[in-house]
Structure formats: C-alpha cells, structure tokens
Amino acid sequence: MIVVSLMRLDDQESRLKEAYPDVSFHFYKHPSELPHDIQKEMDVLITYHAEVNQAFIENAPNLKWIAWYATGVNTLPFETLNERGITLTNAGGVHAQQLTEFLFAYILDDYKELKEAYSEQQDRIYNHKRVTPSVSGQRILFLGTGKIPQRAAQVAKVLGMETIGLNTTGHEADYFDQTDSLARRQEIYASADIIVNLLPETEETYHLLKREDFQAMNQHTLFINIGRGTITEEAVLVDSLKEHEIRKAYLDVFDKEPLEATSKLYDLDNVYITAHISGNRDDNKKQATDIFLNNLENFLNNGEVNENVVDVNKGY
Amino acid sequence: MIVVSLMRLDDQESRLKEAYPDVSFHFYKHPSELPHDIQKEMDVLITYHAEVNQAFIENAPNLKWIAWYATGVNTLPFETLNERGITLTNAGGVHAQQLTEFLFAYILDDYKELKEAYSEQQDRIYNHKRVTPSVSGQRILFLGTGKIPQRAAQVAKVLGMETIGLNTTGHEADYFDQTDSLARRQEIYASADIIVNLLPETEETYHLLKREDFQAMNQHTLFINIGRGTITEEAVLVDSLKEHEIRKAYLDVFDKEPLEATSKLYDLDNVYITAHISGNRDDNKKQATDIFLNNLENFLNNGEVNENVVDVNKGY
C-alpha cells in the first residue's frame, strides 16, 4: 500500500507512519517532485493541487482514492475520476470554524463601526455619541446550507439573528429558520440584511450572481463572500457597489485570484478586501489528517471510506 | 401617583401614558429642568444622572422608587437610599447583547488581524500568506459572572472557547466551565489567553487591578475592558502595555471619562480605544422601559417591584 502526499505534512507525517507502520508513505514538497515510478504504483493520494489534472490521473493507473486536503474540489477532472471509479474525499468542515470566525469578524467590524472608531482614535477624538446597531434580530441569508453555513448559522442563532439558507432544492438544514431554493433567490433577497456566499464552485454556480441579483437586494445589504470568487464577475460587483445597489461588501475571494493591484475593487470606499485568508489556519493539516486517518482505517479494512466523501457527479 | 423621568423617552412616553392613564407622567430633558414642586411630590423617578445625589434625594421626600435606566449605579448615594427605604432598580441585562457584540468584535478584530489586512488593502497588497489563529480552544477569563458576562460566555462557548469566571465567592454561574474567587485571581491569570473586565464599580472593585495583576498575566494576554474604567488606574495600564506585560488592550471605559486627548493611552501602538460606546444602542430606551413597565404593574398593585432590584448594601 503506497500513500503519496504532494505536500509536506510536518508533524503529521510521523503521526501517520506510527499509526500505520506497514503502509509506505511518501511525502513531497510539490507535485513536480513526484517520481514517475511512484506515481504509477501509488494507491492513495493526498493533495490539493491544480496539477492533479486528467493527464496526471492517467499516469496513476493504480490510484483508488484522492484525499483532498481542502474543501473546494472544482479543479479536479471529475469525468476521469468517475470513469476510473476513484474515490474522492475532501477536508470539508475543517474550515468551518475559521470561516465562521472571519464571517463574524467582518459582520461585527461593520455593525460595531470599528474602523470609524479607530479613525477617531487616531485623531484623539473621544466620540461618546456613536450609537451602533445590534445584529440581534437581523436577517442573515446564506447562499449554501452545507457544513460551513450550518456552523456559521449556529453562531448567528446564538447572537439572536434570523437565518435563511438557499440550496438547490430548498431542503431543510440544521440551524436555519427557513430554507428555500436558489432559483427563488431574487424574490428572497430583499428581506435580508446580510447576504453571505458560501456556495461551492460548480458549473451551476459559476458567475451565478448577475447584476439583477444585486439589484434585487436591499440597499442596506451587507454582502460577504467567503465561498468562491467565481460566483460573480468582478465588474458586476464593482458596478453594484459603485451604484450603491448594496451598502457594503467584505470580500475574501475573487473572480480572478490573486487579485491584481489594478482591480477596480481597490478604488471603492464601500468594500473591504482580504486575500483569500479566511481558510488559513495553523492547524489545518492536523484537522485534515484527523479525517484522513479515520478514512484510512476503513480503507485498509474493506477498501471503502466514509467521511467527507465527495459526489463526483455533483462536484461537492 | 407621579412618575418623573429626567430624560425624554421618545416613543416610549406615549407607550407609558397609554398603559397607565391614571398615572401622572412628567418628562424632562435634563435634571436641571425639574420644578421644585414636582420634585417634592414625585413617587417614582426614571434617571441615570449623576445629579441625583444626596441633596437631590433630600429634596424628594415622597420618593419611593428609582428606576435607573442604565446598569452601573455607583454614582448614587446608597446610604441615603438605605435610610429612606427607597427601592432601586436598574437596566442590567439590557446591555448584555450590545456589550457581547462589542466584546466579540474586539476579539475577532484582533484574532483575525483585520486592521493589518486593511492596511494591506490600502496599499493594494494581496497577502495570501496571512495565517490567523482561531479563537477555538482559547481560554477567556471574565472578571464578573453576572448577566452580561453570562451572555458573553454563552457566545464564547458556541465559538469553542473555554470560559472561566471570577466573582466574590467563587460560586458557579451559567456558561462558565470554571469559576473561582476574585481573591485568587493572580494565581489564575496566567492560564488565560483573553481577560475581560465586566465587574461593576463598587468600593471593592475601585482600582482593584494593580501593576502586580498585569504582571501576573500571560504576556500574550489580550485585555478587554467593557465594564468600568475605574477597575485600574490609567498609569498602571499604560505602564503594563508599554512594558508588554500583556500583548494588547481594547478599552471602551477609562479611569477618567471622557478620556482626554492628552492621555498617554493614545501614544501606545498596542491599545485600541472606543469612547464608552459599547452600551449605546438605539433601542435601549425601549428595553429599559420593558423592565420598568413590568415593575410598575407590581408597584401599583402592591407597592413592590421584582425585576432588576439592586441591593443598595452591595451596590449592584
């Protein structure tokens, strides 16, 4: 049994080796370092690299399982995986906590007017008259109702917010007061104070949000994107923000990443930008390895895995 | 029955008058506008003003109940209230939600490094390498375990934090994993990542935190004061922050308010200042009036009140 990782896993490497001394583990810094003979023989692959494309898979005839160490799997060649019967698992849920923390950091930064207060501090102005709105009672609409939105909605509920979630079929989900289908979104937007995109990138969600979507939102809407930047074209977002069709946006992901310094988003005064950092966490590797080890135990016993299995037909 | 309010209550005024048409309500913009004859006859007083001192009470011989429309009652002449048998209620709990929102706004602003990210945005720098710590698993220590710290601890628990609370006797409190007595605080500080002051101002808590307190804290401690600024002398705080005995402070309250523009706190780069705004909320008057109306019903029926009664011997 050969398990290959296309990145170094630091202290998780000895953890894996000690747990399964009979498995042959190979760790590389980057896909380019993988020797061809190992690629031909490997059974299991740990990766999150765009280099794992159709050609790469064709040169790995023995591959049975890809353990994706991130959440968004959209760069993978699903058709090939399907034909070959290769199992795909991801690290979905590992980022739920960190993304939830960023989401509420953004929301509370806005609602509690911290940037405005900080600007006063720098001018040594003591403005006791500042009255900020409460998030309690605010309606927060999530595009997506999977593990990450559920964790975020759980925190929103404790803070007294109303939670609405949109998904493909409108099915119910934990921690959502109300769910509906994405197809009906333009009828629902106006009731929301905060709209958060957490949809995975698929053919259906690519550039899903058009100018009409933003025009259907309430003008006081706070829009937050911590899912995938490809949910909307940059120009659509820039125009909607410039025309104040929505009040403000916090964006951690972008249609084209890395965001170029010439992006018009930087010219706006109602947008806050972070550099796709909301999933970064120092112990991500440990948490993804927790999932991997649980799956590996089953894989060695009966050739199957059961945690975080991705439906390669749906792409999430 | 004469009820006097020393501030205008906006739309709550008609609410009160309509609920109790037989009660004579008088609303003034400020204590200075109160006519002497009304002061002599009034039964109930709605206020949160420092002007309500011993002399003021002596000129109100008929006064039976003070409904304090804020939480901290420390400016009142407790001895006089006690002698006269005047009941005191406050608006404790009304601010729990807003203070909790500010607390997590501060914590997440720090942990998610939003100010650093914003500085990069202003320079059009896209720094995808920023890895921020999670609040999950962090130990948060509250000085105080009353209604407000309990609400804050509830949110902290949902975010995966460990909660410790200190109070006079060390008694248990909802949402705290651990409680202990304030007397033992210097032995407990070092285990905490975040320390939050939410103690009321009393003779016991006035300038309670000395330099030794801050020296006993962990050097990576984030200190947050949203309770009363008089918990420590400004010079103590300035020296501790300057010497990096703690990592950083978010302060909404100060030993002397309003904070003067010459305060040395403004010279530090590891302190964030807001202007005692964490209790400001547009619907505070409505929420305090909810409590008042509930008490008034009982007061009219049997001369007693039962919600948010302050123990004038303890001062909270």
Side-chain angles (χ1 to χ4, degrees), chain B residues 2-253:
Chain B
I2 297 176
V3 174
V4 163
S5 172
L6 295 181
M7 59 185 156
R8 300 306 305 248
L9 295 181
D10 312 331
D11 56 346
Q12 299 305 308
E13 295 184 3
S14 54
R15 184 181 174 210
L16 287 167
K17 285 179 186 169
E18 282 163 25
Y20 295 97
D22 296 338
V23 171
S24 171
F25 289 99
H26 301 258
F27 303 97
Y28 304 99
K29 255 183 99 172
H30 188 263
S32 60
E33 295 181 0
L34 177 65
H36 285 294
D37 57 329
I38 302 287
Q39 183 169 0
K40 287 222 151 33
E41 290 175 29
M42 66 184 179
D43 302 272
V44 178
L45 178 65
I46 293 173
T47 186
Y48 56 69
H49 301 85
E51 286 85 350
V52 180
N53 53 21
Q54 193 181 337
F56 182 100
I57 303 284
E58 282 169 2
N59 288 318
N62 204 31
L63 186 62
K64 299 168 190 71
W65 167 28
I66 296 175
W68 193 255
Y69 261 38
T71 303
V73 291
N74 48 282
T75 60
L76 282 165
F78 291 119
E79 215 167 298
T80 309
L81 298 185
N82 216 353
E83 281 167 17
R84 285 271 307 276
I86 294 172
T87 299
L88 175 63
T89 59
N90 73 358
V94 164
H95 300 94
Q97 173 72 23
Q98 192 72 327
L99 284 162
T100 296
E101 292 182 22
F102 267 98
L103 174 60
F104 286 96
Y106 299 146
I107 292 174
L108 291 169
D109 181 63
D110 176 58
Y111 273 67
K112 295 356 261 183
E113 303 176 5
L114 291 195
K115 289 199 172 62
E116 293 82 350
Y118 183 52
S119 169
E120 287 170 348
Q121 173 184 347
Q122 290 173 309
D123 294 336
R124 296 178 180 241
I125 292 168
Y126 188 85
N127 173 17
H128 179 55
K129 297 288 180 200
R130 186 178 291 288
V131 177
T132 67
S134 169
V135 299
S136 168
Q138 295 288 284
R139 278 168 77 88
I140 183 166
L141 172 74
F142 289 90
L143 303 176
T145 62
K147 281 185 187 183
I148 295 170
Q150 282 175 35
R151 174 71 178 125
Q154 181 187 19
V155 174
K157 289 302 301 170
V158 168
L159 284 169
M161 303 172 84
E162 287 181 60
T163 54
I164 320 167
L166 303 187
N167 54 39
T168 316
T169 61
H171 62 82
E172 289 186 7
D174 286 348
Y175 304 112
F176 285 97
D177 295 320
Q178 187 190 329
T179 52
D180 214 314
S181 72
L182 278 162
R184 289 196 356 101
R185 66 192 185 275
Q186 292 185 0
E187 296 155 59
I188 297 165
Y189 286 145
S191 71
D193 304 295
I194 303 170
I195 297 178
V196 183
N197 176 47
L198 273 166
L199 287 170
E201 181 178 320
T202 65
E203 277 181 27
E204 287 72 33
T205 64
Y206 186 81
H207 290 177
L208 177 72
L209 303 190
K210 313 291 185 201
R211 187 72 183 270
E212 303 83 75
D213 283 272
F214 292 96
Q215 285 167 341
M217 294 176 189
N218 204 306
Q219 281 195 309
H220 73 253
T221 295
L222 174 66
F223 178 77
I224 299 173
N225 195 357
I226 48 176
R228 282 287 179 256
T230 53
I231 193 78
T232 187
E233 285 182 81
E234 182 176 306
V236 167
L237 204 47
V238 166
D239 290 344
S240 297
L241 284 160
K242 196 184 277 179
E243 299 297 326
H244 298 282
E245 289 162 3
I246 57 173
R247 181 170 59 85
K248 195 190 276 187
Y250 282 76
L251 306 173
D252 187 52
V253 290

Side-chain angles (χ1 to χ4, degrees), chain A residues 97-98 100-102 104-106 108-109 112 114-115 117-118 120-121 124-136 151 154-155 158-160 252 254 257-259 261-263 266-268 271-277 280-282, chain B residues 97-98 100-102 104-106 108-109 112 114-115 117-118 120-121 124-136 151 154-155 158-160 252 254 257-259 261-263 266-268 271-277 280-282:
Chain A
Q97 173 72 24
Q98 190 73 326
T100 296
E101 292 181 21
F102 267 98
F104 287 95
Y106 298 146
L108 292 170
D109 181 64
K112 296 354 263 182
L114 291 195
K115 288 198 172 64
Y118 183 52
E120 288 169 347
Q121 173 184 347
R124 297 180 179 238
I125 292 167
Y126 188 87
N127 173 16
H128 179 54
K129 297 288 180 199
R130 186 176 290 287
V131 177
T132 68
S134 169
V135 299
S136 170
R151 174 71 177 126
Q154 180 187 19
V155 174
V158 168
L159 283 169
D252 186 51
F254 306 92
E257 293 181 9
L259 190 68
T262 54
S263 168
Y266 281 120
D267 299 331
L268 301 171
V271 63
Y272 292 101
I273 290 168
T274 52
H276 203 151
I277 58 171
N280 294 359
R281 180 173 169 179
D282 43 12
Chain B
Q97 173 72 23
Q98 192 72 327
T100 296
E101 292 182 22
F102 267 98
F104 286 96
Y106 299 146
L108 291 169
D109 181 63
K112 295 356 261 183
L114 291 195
K115 289 199 172 62
Y118 183 52
E120 287 170 348
Q121 173 184 347
R124 296 178 180 241
I125 292 168
Y126 188 85
N127 173 17
H128 179 55
K129 297 288 180 200
R130 186 178 291 288
V131 177
T132 67
S134 169
V135 299
S136 168
R151 174 71 178 125
Q154 181 187 19
V155 174
V158 168
L159 284 169
D252 187 52
F254 306 92
E257 293 181 8
L259 190 67
T262 53
S263 166
Y266 282 121
D267 299 330
L268 301 172
V271 62
Y272 292 102
I273 290 168
T274 52
H276 203 150
I277 59 171
N280 294 359
R281 181 173 169 179
D282 44 10

Side-chain angles (χ1 to χ4, degrees), chain A residues 70-226:
Chain A
T71 303
V73 292
N74 48 283
T75 61
L76 281 166
F78 291 119
E79 216 167 298
T80 310
L81 298 185
N82 216 353
E83 282 168 17
R84 285 272 305 276
I86 295 172
T87 299
L88 175 63
T89 58
N90 72 358
V94 164
H95 300 94
Q97 173 72 24
Q98 190 73 326
L99 284 163
T100 296
E101 292 181 21
F102 267 98
L103 174 61
F104 287 95
Y106 298 146
I107 292 173
L108 292 170
D109 181 64
D110 175 58
Y111 273 67
K112 296 354 263 182
E113 303 176 6
L114 291 195
K115 288 198 172 64
E116 292 82 351
Y118 183 52
S119 168
E120 288 169 347
Q121 173 184 347
Q122 290 174 309
D123 294 336
R124 297 180 179 238
I125 292 167
Y126 188 87
N127 173 16
H128 179 54
K129 297 288 180 199
R130 186 176 290 287
V131 177
T132 68
S134 169
V135 299
S136 170
Q138 294 288 284
R139 278 168 77 89
I140 183 166
L141 172 74
F142 289 90
L143 304 176
T145 62
K147 282 185 186 183
I148 295 170
Q150 282 175 35
R151 174 71 177 126
Q154 180 187 19
V155 174
K157 288 302 300 170
V158 168
L159 283 169
M161 304 171 83
E162 285 181 61
T163 55
I164 320 168
L166 303 186
N167 53 41
T168 316
T169 61
H171 62 83
E172 290 187 7
D174 286 348
Y175 305 111
F176 285 97
D177 294 321
Q178 185 190 332
T179 53
D180 214 314
S181 71
L182 278 162
R184 286 193 3 97
R185 65 190 185 277
Q186 292 184 2
E187 296 155 59
I188 297 166
Y189 286 144
S191 71
D193 304 294
I194 303 171
I195 296 178
V196 183
N197 176 48
L198 273 166
L199 285 170
E201 180 178 322
T202 65
E203 278 180 25
E204 286 72 33
T205 64
Y206 186 81
H207 290 178
L208 176 73
L209 302 190
K210 314 289 187 204
R211 187 70 183 271
E212 303 84 77
D213 284 272
F214 292 97
Q215 284 167 342
M217 295 176 189
N218 204 305
Q219 281 195 309
H220 74 253
T221 295
L222 175 65
F223 178 76
I224 299 174
N225 195 356
I226 47 175

